[in-house]
Amino acid sequence: VFGSLIMAQDLGHLDQGIAFLEKGAKNNPTDWWLPFETGFLEYVYERDYAKALAHFEEASRLPGAGPQARRFAAFVAAKAGYVETSIAMWEEIERTSDNRYIRELAERYVAELKAGTFRGVGTK
C-alpha cells in the first residue's frame, strides 16, 4: 500500500500505483485492504467513481472487511450517478451499524439523496 502511494502521489505514476495494488490483490485475494486502497486511488486521483465503486464493493465483500469499505462504496455510488443504489446501501448501513454517528450520517445522506441535495465531500 505504501509503495503504491509513493508511485501515485510522489512519483506521479498513478497507473503504476494502481497496477501494483492490483498485483497485490491478485496474490492476496482475501486481503480487503488492497482493493479498498485501489478504489481510494481511483476516487482521489482519477476521479473515476465507477471504478472506485467497483473496488470498494469488492473490498466490502471480503472476509474481515472494515466498515469503511461499505461506507465508501455507498458514498461513491452517489457520485457515480447510482443514486438508488447509494440510497439502498446507506439504508443498510443505517440499519446495521452499531455506531450512532454512522447511523445518523447514513440517515442524513439518505434524506439528501432522496431530496436531490446530496453533494458529498469534494463534489462540484
Side-chain angles (χ1 to χ4, degrees):
V1 170
F2 183 71
S4 70
L5 291 174
I6 294 296
M7 288 178 204
Q9 184 171 337
D10 294 344
L11 300 175
H13 298 294
L14 177 62
D15 56 336
Q16 291 176 4
I18 289 173
F20 194 53
L21 284 169
E22 289 175 340
K23 180 179 179 182
K26 181 179 177 183
N27 290 304
N28 300 280
T30 61
D31 185 343
W32 72 273
W33 196 250
L34 296 168
F36 179 84
E37 287 294 333
T38 305
F40 189 77
L41 287 180
E42 289 166 336
Y43 170 71
V44 172
Y45 294 105
E46 280 193 338
R47 300 206 187 285
D48 189 328
Y49 305 131
K51 279 185 183 178
L53 172 60
H55 281 99
F56 290 142
E57 285 183 315
E58 175 188 355
S60 74
R61 289 189 300 268
L62 290 171
Q68 65 269 40
R70 285 190 328 152
R71 291 193 306 266
F72 270 79
F75 183 81
V76 171
K79 294 189 65 105
Y82 305 113
V83 175
E84 293 302 318
T85 299
S86 181
I87 289 170
M89 293 170 130
W90 282 117
E91 287 175 337
E92 175 68 16
I93 291 167
E94 184 180 2
R95 279 192 306 275
T96 60
S97 179
D98 294 332
N99 183 310
R100 180 179 60 90
Y101 167 76
I102 297 301
R103 288 192 312 271
E104 290 172 2
L105 177 70
E107 181 181 15
R108 187 185 76 182
Y109 280 171
V110 167
E112 290 176 2
L113 286 160
K114 287 180 176 180
T117 60
F118 178 80
R119 296 288 174 250
V121 177
T123 57
K124 296 175 186 172

